[in-house]
């Protein structure tokens, strides 16, 4: 089916992977990316794509004039809403941008869809997929899983803002019959992830022989999913999901943070053995594990996330395909090869933010 998909936040980590996936997966798809290019947005994430089927618009999802015009001018019949402030630590330092983008921005998008998709045909054929997080469910103890029925219990300004947006999306279905779908996914990793998140941060610091800051006792658990698996799940929801429903997405891959950090250390050590420091500019003779530093815990740090993704597997036939071992290999290789991509990021404002939290990165 020919579609004009508005992908908000398409220059960010998951958004860019999704745009790449969708343009590859069907010749019939045209993508309009709306992204305000915050510190986390990067046009290089979209480089090399078919410009005939991709349009980039620099703009803010909270700007209703821009959003309303795009819906009409680009004949948008599907939305995938990735645009968000996405980093928990930043939400603790400064929640305002999270409230504005994650709540108000989602509201503006929903309103534009409500104003534009008015005919019965449009309400039948159009789709609005809202990409959300498992963090809305709060924290688990040692056992149990988040299902679509788990009550919301967000603990950080980030997760509270995402939970608010999820509620708005739900309300637009029940009140206005808008054809919405929501996904709640676990932790992603893979190419193009901004190096403030656990895995790329540890990979880059390990490559360059810098300290590896582990929060608290390092035993918090996350459920990891390779980013292309997430993109395929969103595609399945967009194509086949039932409107008004929410779908949990996860990797069935629970890991303690410290296990991940140790695994990164092992992988980077083994790369160095073979690489002789050719692409690793700062070879470091001692095992990478000696770089691990336990630091003050994140306030309100959720202990464990684990997703029950039975519903999407059963209803839509989606399953995670990439094992954690394969995914980590691909991810580390990508960061080793794409040094220019992340060195540019580390040369700018981001480093100042990082140093303010942890002291000098070195
Ligand atoms: P990201 O921070 O890498 O990218 C966010 C993108 O949104 C950036 O390109 C940024 O420029 C853009 N953006 C921010 N504010 C905007 C605004 N006001 N208007 C327009 N564009 C704006 O985030 P990500 O990790 O790719 O996450 C994407 C979405 O997926 C988010 O909604 C997040 O809550 C959700 N999610 C992320 C994960 C994860 O592990 N990263 C897991 C589950 C759900
Ligand atoms: O669960 C889905 C969520 O996953 C998404 O909604 C968020 O957008 C995404 O950022 C991610 O949130 P987390 O807080 O789980 O991801 P982060 O990479 O920041 O941290 C993962 C775990 O690692 C967490 O327990 C905190 C810990 N951590 C993180 C960093 C950056 C450390 O121990 N040291 C660090 O330096």
């Amino acid at each position: 089916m020919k579609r004009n998909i508005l992908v908000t936040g398409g220059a960010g980590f998951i958004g860019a992977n999704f745009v790449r996936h969708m343009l590859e997966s069907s010749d019939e798809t045209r993508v309009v990316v709306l992204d305000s290019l915050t510190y986390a947005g990067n046009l290089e994430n979209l480089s090399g794509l078919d410009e005939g089927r991709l349009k980039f618009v620099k703009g803010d999802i909270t700007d209703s004039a821009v959003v309303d015009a795009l819906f009409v001018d680009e004949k948008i019949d599907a939305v995938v809403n990735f645009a968000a402030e996405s980093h928990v630590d930043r939400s603790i330092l400064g929640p305002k941008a999270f409230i504005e983008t994650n709540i108000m921005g989602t509201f503006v998008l929903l309103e534009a869809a409500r104003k534009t998709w008015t005919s019965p045909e449009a309400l039948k054929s159009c789709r609005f997929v809202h990409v959300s997080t498992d963090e809305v469910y709060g924290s688990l103890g040692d056992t149990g899983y988040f299902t679509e029925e788990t009550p919301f219990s967000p603990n950080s300004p980030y997760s509270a803002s995402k939970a608010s947006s999820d509620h708005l999306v739900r309300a637009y279905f029940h009140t206005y019959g808008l054809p919405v779908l929501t996904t709640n996914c676990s932790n992603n990793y893979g190419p193009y992830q901004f190096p403030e998140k656990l895995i790329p941060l540890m990979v880059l610091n390990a490559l360059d022989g810098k300290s590896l800051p582990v929060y608290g006792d390092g035993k918090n658990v996350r459920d990891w999913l390779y980013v292309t698996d997430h993109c395929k799940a969103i595609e399945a929801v967009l194509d086949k999901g039932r409107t008004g429903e929410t779908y949990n997405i996860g990797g069935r891959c629970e890991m303690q943070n410290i296990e991940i950090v140790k695994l990164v250390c092992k992988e980077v050590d083994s790369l160095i053995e073979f690489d002789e420091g050719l692409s690793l500019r700062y070879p470091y003779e001692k095992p990478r594990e000696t770089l691990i530093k336990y630091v003050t815990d994140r306030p309100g740090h959720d202990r464990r996330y684990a997703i029950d993704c039975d519903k999407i597997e059963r209803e839509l036939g989606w399953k995670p395909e990439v094992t954690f071992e394969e995914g980590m290999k691909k991810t580390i290789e990508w960061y080793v090869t794409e040094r220019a991509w992340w060195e540019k990021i580390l040369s700018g404002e981001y480093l100042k933010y990082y140093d303010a939290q942890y002291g000098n990165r070195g």
Side-chain angles (χ1 to χ4, degrees):
M1 189 177 79
K2 228 182 170 103
R3 257 193 185 144
N4 292 318
I5 310 181
L6 175 64
V7 178
T8 70
F13 162 49
I14 308 174
N17 276 287
F18 181 75
V19 172
R20 288 178 178 279
H21 172 73
M22 291 305 283
L23 291 177
E24 262 168 36
S25 112
S26 155
D27 291 343
E28 299 288 286
T29 301
R30 190 174 157 264
V31 171
V32 178
V33 168
L34 175 64
D35 196 303
S36 61
L37 297 180
T38 65
Y39 78 94
N42 187 345
L43 266 184
E44 287 179 23
N45 297 357
L46 296 172
S47 66
L49 291 174
D50 175 357
E51 286 177 17
R53 291 193 293 132
L54 171 65
K55 176 167 180 171
F56 177 80
V57 178
K58 184 173 183 308
D60 201 302
I61 60 164
T62 62
D63 184 340
S64 57
V66 168
V67 172
D68 290 354
L70 264 186
F71 265 76
V72 176
D73 297 348
E74 302 296 340
K75 300 188 172 49
I76 296 301
D77 46 22
V79 175
V80 183
N81 181 29
F82 292 99
E85 288 293 336
S86 69
H87 194 45
V88 174
D89 293 331
R90 284 180 190 258
S91 81
I92 296 166
L93 292 174
K96 191 162 179 262
F98 289 73
I99 307 305
E100 285 165 358
T101 289
N102 301 1
I103 306 175
M104 285 307 291
T106 303
F107 164 69
V108 166
L109 290 165
L110 288 166
E111 275 293 279
R114 182 168 82 89
K115 282 185 270 181
T116 319
W117 301 342
T118 50
S119 69
E121 299 76 49
L123 288 174
K124 215 166 155 210
S125 61
C126 295
R127 318 276 273 178
F128 186 117
V129 177
H130 176 61
V131 179
S132 191
T133 171
D134 59 358
E135 300 200 6
V136 296
Y137 299 123
S139 184
L140 290 165
D142 290 341
T143 57
Y145 296 90
F146 297 136
T147 72
E148 287 80 0
E149 274 71 51
T150 304
F152 281 15
S153 187
N155 293 317
S156 71
Y158 163 70
S159 53
S161 68
K162 293 295 290 187
S164 306
S165 65
D166 293 12
H167 283 317
L168 274 175
V169 171
R170 177 191 158 88
Y172 271 66
F173 176 75
H174 288 280
T175 306
Y176 305 114
L178 202 72
V180 297
L181 304 105
T182 299
T183 59
N184 294 93
C185 187
S186 63
N187 287 62
N188 283 217
Y189 66 104
Y192 302 106
Q193 187 166 31
F194 194 86
E196 65 189 348
K197 305 281 167 41
L198 180 76
I199 290 181
L201 177 79
M202 294 300 164
V203 171
L204 268 48
N205 281 15
L207 286 173
D208 282 1
K210 299 195 164 141
S211 127
L212 308 175
V214 173
Y215 299 166
D217 65 2
K219 293 190 176 154
N220 299 65
V221 171
R222 297 291 181 265
D223 172 354
W224 293 93
L225 181 68
Y226 192 66
V227 64
T228 51
D229 277 334
H230 186 190
C231 295
K232 289 179 188 172
I234 294 170
E235 183 185 22
V237 170
L238 179 66
D239 288 345
K240 304 182 275 186
R242 287 182 291 134
T243 54
E245 292 291 314
T246 69
Y247 292 90
N248 278 357
I249 305 169
R252 297 193 190 279
C253 174
E254 287 181 56
M255 303 276 292
Q256 288 186 343
N257 295 335
I258 189 65
E259 293 177 295
I260 296 198
V261 176
K262 287 186 175 167
L263 196 140
V264 167
C265 291
K266 235 171 96 190
E267 285 291 326
V268 173
D269 284 342
S270 71
L271 275 179
I272 286 164
E273 253 171 57
F274 295 110
D275 190 275
E276 302 277 321
L278 284 177
S279 62
L280 306 164
R281 215 161 288 168
Y282 306 93
Y284 184 77
E285 323 70 46
K286 283 194 247 157
R288 257 47 188 178
E289 277 195 26
T290 59
L291 297 167
I292 293 175
K293 188 174 163 201
Y294 287 91
V295 299
T296 310
D297 208 354
R298 172 185 280 176
H301 197 175
D302 288 336
R303 191 62 175 172
R304 175 172 166 260
Y305 303 145
I307 280 274
D308 176 346
C309 49
D310 192 53
K311 179 176 172 183
I312 187 170
E313 291 185 350
R314 207 174 0 94
E315 283 191 15
L316 308 184
W318 171 88
K319 261 191 190 332
E321 290 166 9
V322 181
T323 66
F324 192 67
E325 206 189 355
E326 283 166 350
M328 282 300 282
K329 266 204 159 51
K330 287 192 204 197
T331 304
I332 294 175
E333 267 169 36
W334 190 85
Y335 282 96
V336 168
T337 315
E338 301 298 329
R339 182 177 269 275
W341 179 89
W342 53 266
E343 279 196 333
K344 216 185 244 180
I345 291 169
L346 294 187
S347 67
E349 282 303 306
Y350 165 63
L351 206 54
K352 286 187 208 151
Y353 159 84
Y354 185 89
D355 286 348
Q357 284 200 96
Y358 299 113
N360 193 287
R361 186 167 166 268

